[in-house]
């Protein structure tokens, strides 16, 4: 097997913006790239995320270790200075799924709340994700990637998730699900939204009664 450590990821500035530049002398195909790292498929079941900074690698490994008893996270196989080897998750993102099917089914709402609950259980500081980071794996089991910020950003309500759901046109079904099945949690999000600073982009959350009343129509 070739050594994925030969792949180099560095930051360059393009038109004043930070971008990652990848040098890949191996045959491993790149399957994704973000702000922190680039991801390569090593085998049918494994991929490696290579980071520009050792900090990001350290924090992602830490989050995946913390979540190892969870059911919604890729398993961590190996971690090094600049990389993390984890399960390759096969399937469309929840964002692609919603686009294709034109809806966010109830089973997906339930699992998205389940993901947030696992993040809380594993004491993540950022209890948040977005639907582009949730993968619909076989048997419609949702799993979540990109955790290098899990302990570095603090967010007690899933604002990024709500923004991504609104963009995809499926915020309301999710809010109704949450209000009906997790009223305390929903009230907490509303409180955080109201008292929050820096929430301009976060959708306003209707009162619970309003949501539930409309639901019965
Ligand atoms: N475990 C994984 N399985 C399958 N694809 C993945 C996995 N991890 C990352 N990816 C792909 O690589 C992309 C970049 O990874 P991500 O963790 O979001 O990096 P960044 O922290 O730089 O945003 C993702 O959007 C996704 O397409
Ligand atoms: Mg990402």
């Amino acid at each position: 097997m070739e050594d994925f450590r030969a792949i180099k990821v560095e930051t360059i500035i393009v038109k004043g913006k930070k971008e990652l530049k990848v040098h890949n002398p191996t045959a491993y195909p790149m399957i994704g790239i973000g702000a922190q790292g680039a991801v390569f498929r090593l085998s049918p079941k494994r991929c490696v995320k290579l980071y520009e900074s050792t900090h990001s690698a350290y924090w992602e490994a830490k989050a995946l270790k913390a979540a190892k008893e969870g059911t919604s996270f890729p398993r961590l196989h190996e971690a090094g200075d600049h990389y993390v080897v984890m399960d390759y998750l096969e399937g469309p993102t929840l964002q692609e799924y919603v686009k294709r099917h034109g809806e966010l089914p109830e089973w997906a709402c339930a699992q998205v709340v389940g993901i947030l609950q696992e993040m809380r259980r594993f004491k993540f500081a950022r209890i948040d994700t977005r639907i582009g980071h949730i993968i619909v794996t076989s048997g419609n089991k949702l799993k979540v990637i990109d955790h290098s910020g899990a302990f570095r950003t603090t967010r007690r309500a899933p604002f990024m998730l709500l923004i991504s759901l609104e963009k995809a046109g499926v915020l309301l079904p999710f809010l109704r699900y949450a209000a009906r099945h997790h009223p305390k949690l929903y009230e907490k999000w509303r409180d955080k939204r109201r008292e929050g600073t820096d929430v301009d982009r976060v959708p306003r959350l209707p009162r619970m009664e309003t949501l539930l009343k409309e639901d019965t129509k």
Side-chain angles (χ1 to χ4, degrees):
M1 248 209 179
E2 276 185 289
D3 192 355
F4 60 77
R5 293 170 194 82
I7 306 171
K8 298 287 173 242
V9 177
E10 57 174 355
T11 311
I12 51 165
I13 307 289
V14 181
K15 292 181 190 149
K17 270 191 155 181
K18 218 183 99 174
E19 260 184 37
L20 292 186
K21 188 175 164 221
V22 173
H23 169 70
N24 180 13
T26 76
Y28 297 123
M30 186 164 85
I31 54 173
I33 187 162
Q36 276 24 274
V39 182
F40 299 83
R41 189 149 181 190
L42 298 178
S43 72
K45 295 207 156 160
R46 287 188 188 199
C47 64
V48 63
K49 182 169 172 184
L50 290 133
Y51 304 79
E52 178 261 325
S53 102
T54 52
H55 285 288
S56 301
Y58 170 84
W59 286 109
E60 182 118 33
K62 201 160 164 104
L64 290 177
K65 275 178 208 158
K68 71 172 189 294
E69 309 296 336
T71 61
S72 342
F73 300 82
R75 257 185 323 144
L76 171 72
H77 296 285
E78 191 190 328
D81 236 19
H82 279 91
Y83 68 87
V84 165
V85 178
M86 65 183 126
D87 286 346
Y88 170 75
L89 302 177
E90 179 106 55
T93 65
L94 187 55
Q95 190 178 8
E96 290 163 345
Y97 183 98
V98 166
K99 210 167 181 184
R100 193 177 306 162
H101 296 262
E103 59 156 3
L104 181 73
E106 179 149 320
W107 57 261
C109 295
Q111 288 190 53
V112 170
V113 174
I115 285 173
L116 299 173
Q117 286 171 329
E118 286 202 333
M119 289 176 164
R120 166 165 304 274
R121 180 174 146 218
F122 301 125
K123 306 215 162 19
F124 283 18
R126 180 187 69 187
I127 316 286
D128 198 5
T129 181
R130 53 186 162 89
I131 57 172
H133 279 151
I134 296 176
I135 297 178
V136 185
T137 66
S138 74
N140 285 342
K141 169 70 189 156
L142 301 189
K143 300 208 176 183
V144 60
I145 56 165
D146 200 351
H147 305 291
S148 77
F151 293 118
R152 292 190 289 178
T153 309
T154 300
R155 195 172 303 130
R156 314 307 293 177
F159 294 152
M160 200 163 66
L161 174 71
L162 300 180
I163 293 170
S164 69
L165 288 165
E166 186 179 47
K167 265 195 198 148
V170 289
L171 179 64
L172 213 51
F174 180 73
L175 295 183
R176 282 188 182 136
Y177 176 86
R180 177 151 15 102
H181 298 274
H182 304 275
K184 275 193 196 146
L185 189 61
Y186 184 76
E187 280 303 337
K188 190 181 149 188
W189 295 348
R190 276 197 82 218
D191 289 346
K192 296 272 172 222
R193 168 67 181 80
R194 275 183 309 195
E195 74 197 27
T197 45
D198 230 15
V199 291
D200 310 349
R201 290 170 52 238
V202 181
R204 283 177 200 286
L205 302 183
R207 286 173 54 222
M208 200 148 69
E209 303 77 64
T210 315
L211 267 182
L212 296 178
K213 203 174 350 163
E214 283 170 3
D215 202 16
T216 56
K217 270 187 202 160

